[in-house]
Amino acid sequence: MPANLPRKALLSITSYHGPLYADGKNTGLFYTEALHPYEALVKAGFEVDLASETGKYGMDDHSLEKDFLNDEDEKIYHDAKHPFNVKLNSQLHKAADLNPGDYGLFFASAGHATLWDYPTAQNLQNIAADIYKRGGVVSAVCHGPAILPGIIDSSTGKSIIAGKKVTGFTTEGEVVLNLLDRIKEAHVPTIEDGAASVGAKYVAPPTPFADFSEVDGRVVTGANPASAKTTALNAIKVFDSL
């Protein structure tokens, strides 16, 4: 591992929180898409900080339903003293306040909300770009890859995913969830459209909700909530191979 890569990860959190779903519920952070990577990183010996662009966040209401929380996840969610919840609720950093050089790995957690704020989250993007410039790993899951087109490789002036294979939540999945029209009305790009806009090759999972992760060099991406842990484990594996 290069000497300038601390075994410390920045887990980025969406700061957007607002109505999206037909039932009036809000999008925001998809809980397990941050919890599962956090658990994997800590288990692998990483120190982990959490940050959003604004230093604030809100939860995606649907991410707290039984369909997406197993018994252990639900137990953790209701434990205010769990280290993840402490970091999320009382130690969430504002990205501009952080020193990019402190980190060797960047992981973008998600929720549909990221489509609204990650493309313009300049300070989070700058941290990820700095990590990548120093030879570190940049990873993202589900809608988290919305941040990737704006992360610029200083050696090329292009996005770090230009010419690379990436995955993320499928447009087909948006149709299944009846959310594609809402996304189009908001004029925010889908993950597939964002990847195409900077010359990346989008790779779809076998089905929209299958556990699936793609590794291309030091860029690691995952397709959906079920892929959050796998994506983090792959990012760790890449980091440990540097």
Side-chain angles (χ1 to χ4, degrees), residues 217-232:
R218 292 181 288 114
V219 174
V220 182
T221 48
N224 46 46
S227 310
K229 180 178 180 180
T230 301
T231 307

Side-chain angles (χ1 to χ4, degrees), residues 105-117:
L105 186 150
F106 180 91
F107 192 103
S109 71
H112 275 86
T114 59
L115 298 179
W116 274 259
D117 77 313

Side-chain angles (χ1 to χ4, degrees), residues 88-154:
L88 182 62
N89 294 313
S90 62
Q91 298 173 6
L92 181 65
H93 296 278
K94 183 177 180 180
D97 294 339
L98 298 175
N99 174 18
D102 289 344
Y103 305 97
L105 186 150
F106 180 91
F107 192 103
S109 71
H112 275 86
T114 59
L115 298 179
W116 274 259
D117 77 313
Y118 273 4
T120 56
Q122 193 65 57
N123 294 297
L124 286 172
Q125 291 174 6
N126 288 344
I127 293 170
D130 187 85
I131 290 170
Y132 195 78
K133 180 181 180 179
R134 288 183 286 109
V137 177
V138 173
S139 48
V141 70
C142 199
H143 292 87
I147 203 168
L148 298 177
I151 300 172
I152 304 303
D153 183 341
S154 60

